[in-house]
Structure formats: structure tokens, C-alpha cells
């Protein structure tokens, strides 16, 4: 675990680098490994036999990769499609929901999925191209892959609960456009879903730290809500930061407590993708607060009754 260089000051970035920055490989590697473990256990463990695997991608993007890159390892819809297909081939029912709020980005997402999913053996289930299906090799499993042009903070996900194994991937362009609806996640848990989550935190992507205090006041609440959800459900919560990164990217992950060491291994293996080093800590460690302060320096606390927050 590397130490953060708190004293180093870097120039504020002026524009976000969405999906194709030097930071992206670490994120995709870590998402791939954590979702892969959840998918593997949900599919092969007798404890979860007959339970649905649900993957919620709250900020799908275009599902585009650079020339020569593996689509199934370098964008969240591709990573999700790969793991969902693997589970379906082993008898699991998988429900994938991809959300994108930008109409133009959604149109590109839809076009790319029509090509890429069909190439993986999925078939288009509706004429408008927002549903795709995949039937497992032995007929007992399958994937229902749905895409929707919507701001995911408006979703309640009321159809999920009752033993569903849910993986939430929240990957906004910056923390200011946080896409996870805390009440919706709470609701799934209260209805009996087992929820794991992965949140990206671009705490200065595009220079968002320049925003006024009242525009940044909710950021601490996002972290507090995720940590509290992990405590309430007996999970661990890890906070990861890219060291000496002007964009202040971090990752907040909730995971089953029994897999704490495995999560640490996933983080350390993925850390090789960032040349300046990576720091991480779990919520029950003092270093968690240090990393939080590094990612969110001088972020005002949101006060009850503050109309500007």
C-alpha cells in the first residue's frame, strides 16, 4: 500500500478525459475482476442456486474502445456482456440493465451493442434495439440485456430484491454527476437483495473542485451513504485513490466481508495499471479518512436544512 503525497500540488485539469484516459485501464481491470468474482460465486455456489444475477450499469457510455482493444475487457458494457454470457452458459439467469442519460451517447451505445452483442451470440429481441437476449449453451440459463436512455438517479429498481445478487456499477464522468440513487439501493437491500457496488469518484475531473461550496456540499454524503450501506449489511467498504493525480480519481467499493482479502488482491493487481502508485484502505482503518481527505479536500459538509446543498 503506497503512501499519498499530500504535499504535492498539481495544476487543475480543465477538461475531463472520458473513457480513453491513462486512468481507464485500472478502472476496467478492477471492475472486471470484482464483477468476475461476484459472477463466479453467484453462478457456482449452491447457496445461490435459483437466484437471479442482476448487473446495473448506471453510466454505460458509448460502449466504444480504441482500435485494437478487446471490447470485452475495455468498456463496461463489454465486460458486463462477457460475464453475463459466462454465467448463462452455466445455467444462470442474468438481468443486465445499461443506463445512459445523454441521447447522443445512447444512440451510439445502441449502434455499438447491435454489432458487438450479436457477435457474442446475443440476439436483438425488439425492433427498437433496447432489448437483447442470450440463451445459454444448455438452455437452462440466459441473459436479458436491456438498455435505456434515462438518468439512472430516477430509477427505483423496485423489481429487484428477494435474494437477487445485484452488482451496481456507478461510473459518472465526475463525482459532480454521481449517478447512484442511495434510496433505490437501500430499497433493494430492504427487499432482500444482496448488493455489491463499485463507484468511481472523479473528484476533480474537469476541474470540478472549482465549483462553489453549495455545489460541492453533497459529495461527502455520497461517500457516507455507501459506507453506511456496507456497515448495515455486514460488508466491507474500500476506498482507492490514484496517487498524485490532478483529476483526483478514486474508487469506492462495497464487497462481502469474507472476501476482504480477495478485494485487496484485486486492488493491488489492478494498481499496476497506474504508474504513479495507488493507495487504498478499508472503512475500519484510519487511513480511510486520510484518503478521503486527499480526494475531497475542503469539501463542505452538507447541513440539515441547508437549502443550497
Amino acid at each position: 500500500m503506497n503512501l499519498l503525497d499530500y504535499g504535492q500540488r498539481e495544476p487543475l485539469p480543465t477538461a475531463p478525459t472520458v473513457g480513453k484516459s491513462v486512468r481507464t485501464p485500472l478502472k476496467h481491470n478492477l471492475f472486471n475482476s470484482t464483477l468476475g468474482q461476484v459472477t463466479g460465486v453467484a453462478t457456482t455456489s449452491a447457496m445461490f442456486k435459483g437466484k437471479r444475477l442482476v448487473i446495473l450499469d448506471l453510466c454505460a457510455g458509448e460502449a466504444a474502445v480504441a482500435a485494437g482493444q478487446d471490447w470485452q475487457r475495455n468498456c463496461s458494457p463489454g465486460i458486463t456482456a462477457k460475464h453475463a454470457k459466462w454465467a448463462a452458459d452455466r445455467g444462470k439467469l442474468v438481468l443486465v440493465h445499461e443506463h445512459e442519460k445523454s441521447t447522443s451517447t445512447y444512440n451510439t451505445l445502441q449502434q455499438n451493442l447491435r454489432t458487438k452483442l450479436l457477435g457474442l451470440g446475443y440476439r436483438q429481441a425488439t425492433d427498437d434495439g433496447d432489448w437483447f437476449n442470450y440463451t445459454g449453451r444448455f438452455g437452462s440459463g440466459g441473459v436479458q440485456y436491456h438498455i435505456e436512455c434515462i438518468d439512472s438517479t430516477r430509477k427505483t429498481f423496485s423489481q429487484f430484491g428477494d435474494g437477487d445478487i445485484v452488482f451496481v456499477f456507478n461510473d459518472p464522468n465526475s463525482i459532480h454527476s454521481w449517478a447512484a440513487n442511495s434510496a433505490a439501493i437501500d430499497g433493494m437491500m430492504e427487499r432482500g437483495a444482496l448488493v455489491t457496488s463499485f463507484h468511481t469518484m472523479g473528484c476533480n475531473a474537469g476541474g470540478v473542485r472549482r465549483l462553489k461550496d453549495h455545489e460541492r456540499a453533497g459529495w461527502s454524503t455520497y461517500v457516507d451513504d455507501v459506507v453506511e450501506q456496507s456497515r448495515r449489511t455486514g460488508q466491507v467498504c474500500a476506498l482507492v485513490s490514484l496517487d498524485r493525480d490532478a483529476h483526483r480519481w478514486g474508487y469506492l467499493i462495497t464487497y462481502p466481508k469474507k472476501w476482504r482479502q480477495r478485494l485487496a488482491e484485486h486492488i493491488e493487481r489492478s494498481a499496476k495499471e497506474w504508474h504513479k502508485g495507488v493507495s487504498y484502505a478499508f472503512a475500519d482503518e484510519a487511513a480511510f479518512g486520510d484518503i478521503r481527505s486527499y480526494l475531497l479536500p475542503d469539501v463542505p459538509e452538507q447541513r440539515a436544512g441547508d437549502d443550497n446543498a
Side-chain angles (χ1 to χ4, degrees):
M1 199 181 304
N2 296 323
L3 296 175
L4 296 170
D5 183 357
Y6 297 104
Q8 181 164 338
R9 301 182 66 84
E10 300 192 30
L12 291 177
T14 57
T17 50
V18 180
K20 299 179 179 64
S21 81
V22 293
R23 301 160 185 82
T24 306
L26 184 151
K27 174 186 68 179
H28 286 153
N29 192 309
L30 189 52
F31 173 50
N32 181 57
S33 60
T34 51
L35 177 59
Q37 184 176 7
V38 171
T39 300
V41 173
T43 303
T44 61
S45 172
M47 180 185 304
F48 302 120
K49 185 177 182 180
K51 301 299 183 182
R52 303 182 300 182
L53 173 62
V54 180
I55 307 172
L56 305 176
D57 187 350
L58 306 185
C59 311
E62 296 181 340
V65 299
Q69 287 189 330
D70 184 349
W71 186 75
Q72 297 179 63
R73 295 189 64 87
N74 290 283
C75 68
S76 61
I79 293 169
T80 298
K82 173 186 67 175
H83 289 299
K85 178 181 177 180
W86 181 93
D89 282 340
R90 289 156 180 80
K92 198 71 175 174
L93 174 59
V94 187
L95 309 180
V96 176
H97 287 249
E98 300 279 354
H99 308 84
E100 175 51 54
K101 67 180 181 180
S102 165
T103 302
S104 60
T105 302
Y106 175 82
N107 290 338
T108 304
L109 169 69
Q110 191 177 55
Q111 293 170 8
N112 285 332
L113 289 181
R114 281 174 176 164
T115 300
K116 296 297 186 180
L117 290 180
L118 296 182
L120 289 177
Y122 287 74
R123 62 181 179 85
Q124 189 170 314
T126 56
D127 291 338
D128 56 11
D130 59 1
W131 280 97
F132 298 85
N133 290 336
Y134 174 79
T135 302
R137 286 183 299 179
F138 305 110
S140 59
V143 182
Q144 297 174 12
Y145 197 110
H146 179 49
I147 61 175
E148 185 175 6
C149 186
I150 192 172
D151 181 343
S152 56
T153 61
R154 295 169 49 197
K155 300 288 291 186
T156 63
F157 301 120
S158 59
Q159 68 269 47
F160 303 127
D162 191 25
D164 289 332
I165 302 99
V166 180
F167 193 107
V168 177
F169 185 54
N170 171 33
D171 182 26
N173 294 340
S174 78
I175 192 171
H176 194 57
S177 51
W178 187 264
N181 181 336
S182 181
I185 295 175
D186 284 340
M188 288 189 288
M189 292 175 171
E190 290 167 1
R191 291 188 296 275
L194 305 175
V195 181
T196 302
S197 62
F198 186 125
H199 309 266
T200 72
M201 299 168 57
C203 298
N204 196 33
V208 293
R209 280 176 53 203
R210 295 191 183 107
L211 294 173
K212 295 179 180 179
D213 281 0
H214 73 272
E215 295 177 292
R216 296 184 291 122
W219 295 359
S220 292
T221 303
Y222 300 149
V223 179
D224 293 340
D225 287 347
V226 174
V227 172
E228 178 56 31
Q229 286 167 345
S230 71
R231 288 174 177 162
R232 192 165 61 248
T233 56
Q235 294 185 314
V236 294
C237 182
L239 181 58
V240 185
S241 72
L242 305 187
D243 293 347
R244 298 182 298 282
D245 174 25
H247 289 258
R248 298 288 173 108
W249 276 100
Y251 307 100
L252 189 64
I253 305 168
T254 64
Y255 225 53
K257 184 177 292 185
K258 65 192 290 186
W259 298 349
R260 178 181 179 128
Q261 182 56 38
R262 290 294 303 277
L263 178 55
E265 292 169 1
H266 292 320
I267 294 169
E268 291 175 3
R269 186 167 56 250
S270 299
K272 299 173 184 177
E273 301 288 349
W274 178 246
H275 62 291
K276 296 181 181 180
V278 169
S279 298
Y280 73 93
F282 290 92
D284 59 359
E285 298 174 329
F288 187 95
D290 295 335
I291 297 173
R292 175 179 171 148
S293 295
Y294 168 75
L295 291 171
L296 298 173
D298 304 318
V299 172
E301 295 295 330
Q302 185 168 1
R303 300 180 297 277
D306 186 349
D307 292 336
N308 292 323

